[in-house]
Amino acid sequence: MKREDFTSEQARWQAVERRDAQADERFVFAVVTTGIFCRPSCRARRPLRANVRFYPDAAGALAAGFRPCKRCQPDKAPPEQQKAMRIAAACRLMASSDAPLTLAELAQNAAMSPYHFHRQFKAVTGLTPKAWQQALRVQKVRNALRKEEKVTDALYAAGYACGSAFYREADAALGMTPRQYGRGGESASVVWTLAPCQLGLCLVAQSERGVCAILPGESREALEAELLALFPGAQPSQDAAFDERVAQVIAFLDAPQGKWALPLDIRGTAFQQQVWQALRDIPAGSTLSYSELARKIGKPGAVRAVASACAANKLAVVIPCHRVVRGDGALAGYRWGVARKAALLAREAKVKKEK
Ligand SMILES: [Zn+2]
């Protein structure tokens, strides 16, 4: 269907008659008998054509002396934008709250059902509200540890009810003990930047030792939160030399059958490192199952541990965890989404065929 331009009065009236939401933001209509103006999609009863006047926007209708309809709120931002604003408000609320907020509390504040709030939040930020708050708390601990002498004070300041809950999360999130972190933490030297790639947006981070994170995603906010959960001290890069290195990373991501030539900073347990090394030996265009991979590293019984090591990978494509599929050939999960995994495998299969 061609895009309607709603320039003629007749086209506008027809849009009003069919309550066409596509016409919202294109014009408003006012009713002289009630003195009220509406969006074309308003659910209120339709007026008589003879009583209707059209205005290009709310400002025009207001200037002509009409009042905005309470139902469709034509003087406010469109519903989609309002949703995004409510999510942004929720993010601010979480940032200023001392204790973690429940889904019910967040949803109530955003005037949405918990179900819709969760869905909307994830759609906008790429993270669940819970994961978002975890990332926030890690950041708070980071800031507090720099100032506080004692680790426990920092934990309470960041809203952790008890130390052990923190240590469980910190292990995964800080990547080092809080005490180490308080002493300056080596992740303080991590810099990062964003670049577009065929997978969407990509965050590339490097430490003094080499490239330490490659994270594909959709939004800057979500990627930054994901990185800060891994490397709490990471800073946006200001370095032109790093941009050149990032260009090399992106070139490899877009054509992973080529050769990787940059130093890597691979952090993980000995077992994870063993799995990741085995992953790097799988050539582009081939796949292995989790049990084949477990056999390959000489631990045939460790299939589940192998799968979680794959899921803990921080270097997308360079450590090709997307080349591991389930025993029956199904794609199974992928840290960065099954759709991305499918796209990567399809591209590699195509390149292999063309060779
Ligand atoms: Zn209305």
Side-chain angles (χ1 to χ4, degrees), residues 36-39 42-44 46 69-74:
I36 285 170
F37 70 99
C38 283
R39 295 175 194 280
C42 182
R43 308 314 296 176
R46 298 292 80 164
C69 166
K70 289 208 167 66
R71 194 157 170 182
C72 65
Q73 305 188 319

Side-chain angles (χ1 to χ4, degrees), residues 24-259:
D24 290 352
E25 309 316 308
R26 311 299 298 276
F27 68 91
V28 298
F29 71 96
V31 184
V32 289
T33 42
T34 59
I36 285 170
F37 70 99
C38 283
R39 295 175 194 280
S41 69
C42 182
R43 308 314 296 176
R45 234 183 82 217
R46 298 292 80 164
L48 286 174
R49 170 69 184 90
N51 297 332
V52 168
R53 304 286 178 269
F54 296 105
Y55 294 92
D57 51 30
L62 285 168
F66 292 97
R67 285 172 289 117
C69 166
K70 289 208 167 66
R71 194 157 170 182
C72 65
Q73 305 188 319
D75 55 331
K76 301 250 172 71
E80 278 309 307
Q81 206 178 319
Q82 283 188 37
K83 260 186 229 158
M85 283 157 63
R86 273 182 268 169
I87 299 299
C91 290
R92 282 194 296 276
L93 186 68
M94 287 187 264
S96 63
S97 168
D98 290 331
L101 297 163
T102 65
L103 180 61
E105 288 168 328
L106 288 165
Q108 200 188 2
N109 260 294
M112 291 184 193
S113 74
Y115 171 78
H116 278 110
F117 177 78
H118 192 273
R119 247 181 56 172
Q120 286 293 331
F121 190 88
K122 192 148 184 235
V124 172
T125 66
L127 291 177
T128 64
K130 193 177 168 191
W132 185 271
Q133 294 193 89
Q134 271 172 4
L136 270 178
R137 285 203 285 172
V138 167
Q139 268 181 288
K140 279 191 189 173
V141 171
R142 171 168 62 105
N143 296 337
L145 282 175
R146 293 263 155 76
K147 284 178 245 155
E148 305 278 345
E149 278 291 302
K150 276 187 289 175
V151 168
T152 42
D153 292 344
L155 301 188
Y156 285 110
Y160 283 92
C162 74
S164 67
F166 168 75
Y167 282 101
R168 276 199 303 277
E169 271 180 38
D171 198 33
L174 284 174
M176 67 190 95
T177 69
R179 225 171 266 287
Q180 277 175 334
Y181 200 83
R183 289 197 295 263
E186 50 180 341
S187 78
S189 62
V190 170
V191 295
W192 62 271
T193 193
L194 289 172
C197 72
Q198 286 178 12
L199 296 170
L201 202 55
C202 189
L203 183 151
V204 182
Q206 78 167 358
S207 70
E208 282 156 355
R209 277 182 272 170
V211 177
C212 60
I214 299 173
L215 311 170
E218 267 97 45
S219 82
R220 181 192 169 94
E221 291 72 24
L223 283 170
E224 189 175 358
E226 193 182 346
L227 182 76
L228 287 174
L230 296 167
F231 301 101
Q235 298 285 339
S237 165
Q238 314 276 352
D239 178 7
F242 179 51
D243 291 345
E244 244 167 70
R245 185 168 269 201
V246 169
Q248 286 184 62
V249 173
I250 300 297
F252 182 85
L253 291 188
D254 288 345
Q257 63 280 6
K259 192 130 187 69

